[in-house]
Amino acid sequence: MTSIKTAGFAGDTLEIIAFRLHEQEFCVKTTTIREIRGWAPSTPIPHSPPDVIGVMNLRGTVIPIIDLAHKLGMKSTEANERSAIVVAEVHSMVVGLVVDRVSDILTIRSEQIQPVPEVTTSFDKVYAEGIIAHENGMICFLNLARMFKERDMEDMAA
C-alpha cells in the first residue's frame, strides 16, 4: 500500500466531510467548510460560467452557487430535497457547492490518502488530492484550492 505526503496536512490525522455526487463519494477538508445548508433555489446569473448555477443570499452576503458535479466533468446535479449546499471558503471567497447529499464527517490518518491511479477518469485529476480507501468504499479527496484557481474566483466575484 503506497501512501503519499500531501501538502497542508498537519499531524497524523485529518478531518474530512464526505458527500455524494451521482453515487460517487467525494470529500474535502473540514477546515475549508463554513457550513452545510439544505437545498434552496438560487437566482440565475445571465452569461455565467456553465458550472455556476446562480447566486444566493447567505446572511446578507451574495455567494455563487456551483454545480460541483458539472465542475468535475460529470452530469449536472438534479437538485432535490435531499440535496445540500456545502458552503466553503476558497481563496478568501465564499462559495456554495451543490452536492447530492452529505454522507459523513470523518477523521482519517494521513497515510490513508493514496495517489490517484493513472487511469482515465470522469474528472480532471488535478482536482484530486488522492483517494481514501474507507470501509464503505473509495472516497475521492478533492482539493478546492486547485479546483477553483484564484483567477476563476476573481471572475466569479466580478
Side-chain angles (χ1 to χ4, degrees):
M1 186 152 123
T2 309
S3 66
I4 58 174
K5 295 288 180 206
T6 359
F9 296 156
D12 296 329
T13 62
L14 178 68
E15 284 198 345
I16 59 170
I17 181 166
F19 51 86
R20 294 190 76 77
L21 291 169
H22 301 300
E23 302 308 314
Q24 292 184 31
E25 199 82 15
F26 295 90
C27 70
V28 294
K29 290 189 282 190
T30 56
T31 55
T32 62
I33 303 306
R34 284 219 175 155
E35 66 182 89
I36 300 164
R37 300 177 56 91
W39 168 249
S42 60
T43 303
I45 301 294
H47 305 290
S48 62
D51 56 324
V52 177
I53 297 171
V55 294
M56 73 181 299
N57 182 346
L58 181 67
R59 288 184 295 286
T61 303
V62 176
I63 65 168
I65 304 301
I66 309 297
D67 181 346
L68 190 57
H70 188 275
K71 181 80 173 170
L72 293 170
M74 304 167 77
K75 186 177 83 136
S76 288
T77 297
E78 295 288 331
N80 59 50
E81 67 279 349
R82 293 195 59 170
S83 299
I85 298 174
V86 176
V87 180
E89 187 169 338
V90 186
H91 302 299
S92 301
M93 185 174 169
V94 178
V95 296
L97 307 171
V98 177
V99 301
D100 291 341
R101 64 184 163 88
V102 173
S103 313
D104 213 346
I105 295 176
L106 304 166
T107 301
I108 61 159
R109 294 183 322 278
S110 56
E111 63 267 13
Q112 288 178 270
I113 304 168
Q114 299 181 38
V116 177
E118 293 291 332
V119 295
T120 303
T121 57
S122 63
F123 63 95
D124 190 341
K125 200 173 96 168
V126 74
Y127 295 165
E129 191 76 51
I131 301 289
I132 300 164
H134 187 258
E135 61 195 35
N136 298 331
M138 305 297 268
I139 305 172
C140 180
F141 186 30
L142 298 175
N143 182 316
L144 295 179
R146 286 199 308 245
M147 186 179 300
F148 297 99
K149 295 176 179 58
E150 281 191 76
R151 191 171 145 258
D152 297 340
M153 300 304 282
E154 290 166 6
D155 290 347
M156 274 192 263

